[in-house]
Amino acid sequence: MTTPSARSTNVVFHPGTIGREQREELLGQRGMLIWLTGLSASGKSTIARGLEARLCSGGWLAYVLDGDNLRHGLNADLGFSDHDREENIRRVGEVGALFVDAGLIAIAAFISPFRRDRERVRSIVGAERFIEVFLDVPLAVCESRDPKHLYEKARRGEIADFTGISSPYEPPESPDVVLRTNERPVEACVETVYAELVRRGAVR
C-alpha cells in the first residue's frame, strides 16, 4: 500500500467547534460507512439504492457513493490501472470519512478489488464505523447478467484491466456481511444489511 505524498505546505488542520457526537444527536443516528464490494453485476448498486430507500423511508439520512457516478466528477481523471484503482478507493474513503463525521450513513458501491485498499478505508473511517459487505456472486452469474455488456467487451479484448477477466479480484477474508444476490431477493439482502446497522446502534 502506498501513501500519496503531501504536496500542500503551510497548512494547518482546524478542528470545528461542533463535533460528530453533536451532529449525531441532532440527526438521531450514528455516522457509518457501508462498503459494498464484489464483481461487476453482482448487484452492488441495486443493493445500495435499495438500502438508501429503506433508510430514508424510515427517517434516517443516507447517501449512496456510486463508483460509476464518482468517475463522472471527483474521479474523472482516473483510469483502471492498479495505481488508479488504488487512488480511486483512497479518495472515496476520505469522502466517506467526511460523511461519517457529519453523522450520515454513507453507502459505497465499488468493485474495490484489492484487500489492501478496502483495509485502508477501514483504517481511515475506523473499524467501528465501517461495515464491509461482500456480494459473493459467482463470476458466471455476473457474466450472465452483464447489463452493460462489459464482460462481453472484456472477453473480446476491448476493455483492458477488467476485474474478473484480465484483472484479479481479492474477496474479503472476514467480511462483516455476506450477500448472495443470486440466491436471495433484493429486499432480503437489504434487510440483512439494515439489521447490521441496527446491531451496531446506527439506527433503531
Side-chain angles (χ1 to χ4, degrees):
M1 182 192 311
T2 60
T3 301
S5 57
R7 297 183 181 179
S8 301
T9 59
N10 301 312
V11 293
V12 178
F13 185 86
H14 291 274
T17 56
I18 303 298
R20 182 177 62 204
E21 293 78 10
Q22 291 163 287
R23 289 187 285 269
E24 289 179 332
E25 183 177 353
L26 179 66
L27 295 171
Q29 63 186 45
R30 290 187 73 216
M32 197 72 63
L33 176 58
I34 303 163
W35 194 274
L36 304 175
T37 177
L39 294 171
S40 179
S42 59
K44 297 181 299 299
S45 292
T46 301
I47 299 300
R49 293 301 179 187
L51 181 59
E52 180 186 45
R54 172 72 169 87
L55 287 164
C56 289
S57 67
W60 313 111
L61 191 53
Y63 189 86
V64 172
L65 299 169
D66 184 83
D68 281 0
N69 290 355
L70 265 64
R71 282 184 177 274
H72 280 86
L74 177 67
N75 295 334
D77 59 323
L78 300 176
F80 291 92
S81 66
D82 287 358
H83 177 270
D84 281 3
R85 286 176 187 271
E86 179 181 346
E87 176 60 12
N88 181 48
I89 299 307
R90 187 196 69 81
R91 291 182 191 179
V92 177
E94 295 289 354
V95 170
L98 293 174
F99 274 55
V100 170
D101 190 53
L104 306 180
I105 298 172
I107 307 164
F110 288 79
I111 293 174
S112 48
F114 304 124
R115 293 189 191 104
R116 67 176 185 271
D117 296 337
R118 299 191 299 267
E119 287 306 307
R120 173 192 236 170
V121 176
R122 186 192 299 272
S123 68
I124 291 172
V125 176
E128 74 284 356
R129 302 278 179 164
F130 182 83
I131 300 175
E132 185 178 49
V133 180
F134 174 35
L135 277 73
D136 186 7
V137 181
L139 173 61
V141 173
C142 295
E143 196 163 355
S144 69
R145 293 171 174 173
D146 202 16
K148 304 172 188 174
H149 303 287
L150 299 178
Y151 285 101
E152 182 181 329
K153 293 178 180 178
R155 291 290 187 187
R156 292 200 301 261
E158 296 174 12
I159 302 177
D161 301 317
F162 190 80
T163 303
I165 304 298
S166 52
S167 186
Y169 177 80
E170 300 172 353
E173 294 178 330
S174 299
D176 299 298
V177 177
V178 176
L179 301 179
R180 296 182 174 89
T181 60
N182 57 314
E183 298 177 0
R184 302 176 67 209
V186 171
E187 294 77 11
C189 292
V190 167
E191 287 304 318
T192 297
V193 183
Y194 189 89
E196 179 65 13
L197 283 167
V198 172
R199 189 186 73 81
R200 300 232 189 164
V203 299
R204 297 185 296 275

